[in-house]
Amino acid sequence: MEERGILFVLSGPSGVGKGTVRKALFEGDINLQYSISATTRKPREGEKDGVDYFFKSKQEFETMIEQNKLLEYAQFVGNYYGTPIDYVKETLDHGKDVLLEIEVQGAMQVRKAFPEAVLIFLIPPSLEELKNRIVGRGTETEDIVKDRLDTAKIEIEMMNAYDYVVVNDQVEKACERIQAIVQAEHFRRDRVEASYKKLLEVE
Ligand code: 5GP
């Protein structure tokens, strides 16, 4: 009998490097499926529709909300971001693990909708470094930088809603820590026990 996959959520404060860690994770040899998000944000240079995001108009996104096509969604710095639900459900049903890389409001919604999801909080080595990273990106206006910093302070207080905390001091190390979490989750007594119980019911 096929086991259901595990839903992993990688979240954390703005500018901590979630996107970078997630990309590095999928460049390596990892047994996870990435759920591509939908957004109303305009594509940045080099970003491709259906690869980085499904880029949507506000109206298209709001239709997805109305039709319950999103597992979670949030407004972040003036744009909508959300996780299409069908891909996640189908992939988990096929026994494959899924990873979402989303901001914290969305992660809290996943916690409610999928209490069995494993939530990983990525944190910067220090708040100061967080600031440098956000400002240092240099692609955003001052207002957006301030918005992102204010949001980040609140987000850090949210750490206690998570199952694991991973420090992003080096991308490679952060990836190793996440891989260790993914592996360990498959050995949890409750998961192993549940699969044995199912097996015994069948025979
Ligand atoms: P960016 O515009 O820099 O690509 O992403 C901005 C923020 O939105 C990041 O923190 C990213 O993790 C988050 N994000 C990306 N996709 C989703 C999603 O589907 N849902 C939610 N709630 N946040 C998302």
Side-chain angles (χ1 to χ4, degrees):
M1 187 184 295
E2 204 164 43
E3 281 312 305
R4 205 154 189 255
I6 302 173
L7 180 59
F8 291 93
V9 177
L10 179 64
S11 192
S14 166
V16 70
K18 296 188 286 293
T20 308
V21 169
R22 184 257 301 168
K23 279 182 196 139
L25 205 55
F26 282 93
E27 275 162 16
D29 185 19
I30 187 140
N31 216 359
L32 277 177
Q33 311 302 310
Y34 175 58
S35 158
I36 300 165
S37 297
T39 185
T40 58
R41 163 166 89 54
K42 297 274 167 287
R44 293 191 185 121
E45 218 182 301
E47 284 184 337
K48 289 202 185 86
D49 188 42
V51 176
D52 299 282
Y53 281 104
F54 296 109
F55 293 102
K56 303 279 177 194
S57 68
K58 192 164 178 247
Q59 200 179 353
E60 284 171 330
F61 199 100
E62 285 172 351
T63 304
M64 292 175 85
I65 298 173
E66 278 161 28
Q67 296 180 343
N68 292 324
K69 295 231 186 266
L70 298 172
L71 167 58
E72 59 73 38
Y73 71 92
Q75 288 208 36
F76 180 80
V77 200
N79 282 300
Y80 280 122
Y81 294 83
T83 304
I85 194 160
D86 288 350
Y87 176 81
V88 173
K89 284 204 164 152
E90 283 161 19
T91 311
L92 293 175
D93 285 346
H94 281 96
K96 291 184 178 152
D97 297 344
V98 175
L99 182 108
L100 313 182
E101 178 248 298
I102 60 178
E103 53 69 63
V104 293
Q105 306 164 61
M108 292 304 95
Q109 291 174 39
V110 176
R111 175 55 98 209
K112 279 198 192 134
F114 270 81
E116 69 276 27
V118 177
L119 269 60
I120 305 171
F121 198 74
L122 193 68
I123 56 158
S126 74
L127 252 185
E128 190 52 34
E129 191 168 334
L130 174 71
K131 188 178 158 191
N132 292 340
R133 283 194 207 179
I134 294 175
V135 178
R137 191 149 59 193
T139 52
E140 323 288 1
T141 68
E142 240 176 66
D143 275 356
I144 291 182
V145 170
K146 191 185 174 300
D147 259 9
R148 290 196 167 194
L149 278 176
D150 287 346
T151 311
K153 279 182 202 145
I154 301 164
E155 288 169 338
I156 282 178
E157 285 161 19
M158 297 182 76
M159 197 195 291
N160 64 3
Y162 288 74
D163 300 301
Y164 294 93
V165 176
V166 166
V167 180
N168 186 20
D169 48 359
Q170 284 176 37
V171 173
E172 200 182 318
K173 281 191 181 162
C175 288
E176 281 169 12
R177 291 167 188 142
I178 293 167
Q179 278 172 323
I181 293 167
V182 171
Q183 283 175 1
E185 278 295 320
H186 281 274
F187 301 133
R188 282 178 64 105
R189 194 258 315 137
D190 46 355
R191 286 190 209 285
V192 176
E193 188 180 47
S195 72
Y196 274 101
K197 276 188 176 160
K198 260 194 221 159
L199 198 74
L200 291 173
E201 273 166 25
V202 169
E203 286 175 354

